[in-house]
Amino acid sequence: MILRFLVILCAFLSSMACSNSKKLVSASPKSIALDQLVVQKNFQISSDWATPMATSSMNYIANNGLLGPGNSPGNINLIGNTNYLSIKGDSITAHLPYFGERQMGGGYSTNDTGITFNTVPTSYEQVKNDRTQTHTIKFKISGDSNEHYSITILLFPNWSSEIMVTSSQRTSIGFRGTISEIPPLEN
């Protein structure tokens, strides 16, 4: 009797969990406006947090108090640091800070140690998930110092974003931030 009750309870809870994950997020005016920006390729992302790979070197830096209060090897506050990734037509421009390890090639110059590029990507794919009202953008692009990047951007209907950068010369890093329209004067 107890076994039968447990089986029925598990089946019920399982069906509840599955039904919740299949719910559709209905389109809101905010998500519809985001759809238009993505289709027009006219938006900018400003990141509030960097999420570098927590390597032994990053842990060493954190253990020696070099990351500042409230930061950890895997979560660094960027508020007050100018950064952006903008998509305007076919061109993509970025100036993002970098925290992590250089794997090979190149070197840190005194001019710029971040992730920078201003060019047309070699590949570009954009897909919308109608169920969650999210957009996924993937592209490959070359940086200013002959470094190659594979970038995945997730855009959420509340205009928040996640960027994941995989580099040919550095450990991976992510960014969390917000989306905004590029003002008409800058177009």
Side-chain angles (χ1 to χ4, degrees), residues 67-182:
L67 290 179
N71 294 320
S72 68
N75 211 20
I76 299 173
N77 189 319
L78 298 178
I79 294 175
N81 295 315
T82 302
N83 68 81
Y84 61 88
L85 185 145
S86 66
I87 297 179
K88 242 175 19 179
D90 290 335
S91 281
I92 302 177
T93 305
H95 179 75
L96 301 167
Y98 180 74
F99 302 91
E101 296 178 19
R102 183 170 287 278
Q103 297 292 305
M104 59 177 261
Y108 290 112
S109 68
T110 56
N111 295 337
D112 191 13
T113 58
I115 298 167
T116 59
F117 48 82
N118 182 12
T119 189
V120 176
T122 56
S123 68
Y124 184 92
E125 174 188 355
Q126 183 271 316
V127 177
K128 180 181 180 191
N129 182 330
D130 289 323
R131 185 176 60 81
T132 60
Q133 298 296 313
T134 59
H135 294 269
T136 302
I137 298 172
K138 295 180 180 184
F139 60 90
K140 295 183 185 295
I141 199 162
S142 294
D144 294 345
S145 61
N146 206 24
E147 191 169 355
H148 305 286
Y149 303 104
S150 292
I151 299 183
T152 301
I153 303 172
L154 297 174
L155 305 175
F156 299 98
N158 65 352
W159 288 46
S160 65
S161 66
E162 290 182 10
I163 302 171
M164 184 58 173
V165 179
T166 304
S167 166
S168 61
Q169 298 178 8
R170 311 178 204 201
T171 55
S172 298
I173 186 168
F175 299 91
R176 291 189 317 268
T178 56
I179 306 158
S180 62
E181 181 178 7
I182 297 175

